[in-house]
Amino acid sequence: MGSDIPYFIGIDVGTGSARASLVAQNGEIKASSTKDTITWRDKHDHRIFEQSTNNIWEQICAAVKEVLKESNVPATAVKGLGFDATCSLAVSDFNADPIIVTKGNDIGKNGDRNIILWADHRAEKEAELINSTGSIVLNYVGGTMSLEMEVPKILWLKKHMDPALFARCQFFDLPDFFTYKATGDSTRSYCSTTCKCSFVPDKGWQPDFFERIGLGELIDDGNWRQMGTAKGRVQTAGSPVGQGLSRQAAEELGLVEGTAVGSGLIDAYAGWMGTVAARYTENGQLSTVLPSLDESRHRLAAVAGTSTCHLVQSREGVFVKGVWGPYKDAAFPGWWMNEGGQSSTGQLIDFIITTHTAYPELKERAKQEGKAIHTILLDVLEKLRHENHVDTYTELTKHIHFYPDFHGNRSPIADPRMRGSIVGLELESSIADLARKYYLTLEAIALQTRHIIEALNTAGHDITSLYMSGGQAKNVVMMQLFADTCDIPVILPKSHSEAVVLGAAMLGRIAAEGVKVGEDMWKIMVEMTPAGTLVAPGASPKVKKLLDAKYKIFRETIDTQKRWRQEIEEASH
């Protein structure tokens, strides 16, 4: 292939793997490679999840080299690359060497385990302290800061680290670490600093907030060296970082020194970028209208994997209780984003299936029939539907009520103490019971999605469609449930697994072409996003009535749980 045809590389650092994709200007993915990454747990503390930037970078380098080899595209044809990553906290010294974040004697010393993963819940007390301040910072995270964000984790590190060791730390949200690793330039992105590090839109860092929570040393006479930016030294998505790839990074990646590197995005925001500009096919017909930038206001992106993030853009900031944001410039210059989320969705589905007593039987049957376990569960549900003479699976499970917050609530209640519940259990442990519970889990996730959309629209958004990406987009039954429960069309991407890495590649193109305004960024997104498929709401009046009743009960379950918790707390004093 001639090097006159430009290509871009997207690098997506997920919870368990790093992926690199080589992408053409029209959005066609020429080659992809995914490499597993290591996560360390603590057998004495279930809240702990740690990773290593060295391990992830090695896997990124291997993946990039693999896609170049597989595609036979020369390194000189790669004009830009972009990174997205989970919103995890990476810690290094000022030489970019990793610093250990593991509790114990080695914390603060140089060593591999230098990432506190997004799912790590060690900083609960620190988050409680931050939420008691009433700071303006909290206005931009839906009124409550999550313990998954970076400032509670930095405060936890300060409490557990020798002050001299703490003083030599640089703190990065993970996407920013990798643009730093690639270029040697530590300039941070608006996406990471605003969404996860308490950088307030239009106002910058808030010294009084950091003083009040006990992190006054980060202010550094207004230089904020450990956080990597003073006001004015933050970049919008895709703007070129530094001088592009450093010599060392270029050698390690097998690319050319100086290749443009776009300022990064958190993985969910890259999923937004890789899906919401899509046209779609309905009843076999491709929509002829190219979506305008203004249309993005009505399109909610749901990036659904282990957990789910919900993202929507608006021209003005919309404050939504229990929903993160509004974040200015997080993706497009001058535009605002809100971010809702569910802490455990794909993870919850797996948990419900694998902890059921009928799971070994399900696995064996799947093996014998050569089918996926989800397909077997649908076969069982179909049999139950016929035996019970009902039209839909919703009718099969109408007397069981499932509340899904096994890992706390991110949106729109913003309460990590919320827990899951199932009402309507019987003395049954068969594969039929597992199939019903599987469907109930999908239904509960859909009901919660409706709760999030309602909260967004009540506050001032106008969401009329849901753009999916991630593993759950493969689940046709679940996607129809989303459309029926939320009563809006759901658009499925051409490839459920490539939307996020495609968004990262777009960052590389934005950097390579020096694009600076939202309209031009949107044009790149429209050009590079493959057409999706529309799933229209299709519930019968009877099922719609059932889903509405279940939603009412779902909302009542929240109030009941909060009341019960209060009654127990009062009884405990």
Side-chain angles (χ1 to χ4, degrees), residues 380-392 395-396 436:
V380 175
L381 284 167
E382 193 57 24
K383 185 166 178 279
L384 289 170
R385 189 179 70 74
H386 281 292
E387 287 170 0
N388 288 272
H389 309 292
V390 293
D391 296 327
T392 64
E395 292 163 83
L396 269 183
R436 282 195 194 90

Side-chain angles (χ1 to χ4, degrees), residues 202-254:
D202 292 332
K203 297 180 179 69
W205 300 112
Q206 300 298 297
D208 58 333
F209 165 70
F210 284 92
E211 290 277 11
R212 189 161 173 195
I213 63 170
L215 285 172
E217 62 267 63
L218 297 183
I219 300 165
D220 184 30
D221 292 328
N223 291 314
W224 301 89
R225 225 162 55 97
Q226 291 177 270
M227 300 296 279
T229 178
K231 188 166 170 28
R233 293 208 306 271
V234 197
Q235 297 190 222
T236 50
S239 56
V241 179
Q243 303 301 308
L245 281 182
S246 68
R247 179 175 296 172
Q248 184 181 342
E251 281 173 11
E252 290 170 357
L253 290 161

Side-chain angles (χ1 to χ4, degrees), residues 48-92:
I48 302 298
F49 294 79
E50 293 173 354
Q51 293 185 337
S52 157
T53 54
N54 280 350
N55 167 248
I56 296 170
W57 181 253
E58 281 168 16
Q59 301 299 63
I60 288 169
C61 293
V64 169
K65 285 174 178 167
E66 210 163 272
V67 297
L68 290 172
K69 189 177 175 188
E70 186 189 320
S71 63
N72 212 17
V73 166
T76 50
V78 177
K79 302 305 179 190
L81 68 158
F83 291 86
D84 77 77
T86 63
C87 45
S88 303
L89 180 70
V91 186
S92 80

Side-chain angles (χ1 to χ4, degrees), residues 9-12 80-84 179 260-264 501 504-505 507-509:
I9 289 180
I11 294 160
D12 166 39
L81 68 158
F83 291 86
D84 77 77
T179 57
V261 175
S263 187
V501 79
L507 298 173
R509 181 171 169 190

Side-chain angles (χ1 to χ4, degrees), residues 100-118:
I100 294 168
V101 296
T102 312
K103 190 176 181 178
N105 295 333
D106 291 332
I107 192 167
K109 295 175 184 172
N110 288 105
D112 265 354
R113 285 171 66 164
N114 68 319
I115 298 172
I116 301 181
L117 192 67
W118 65 270

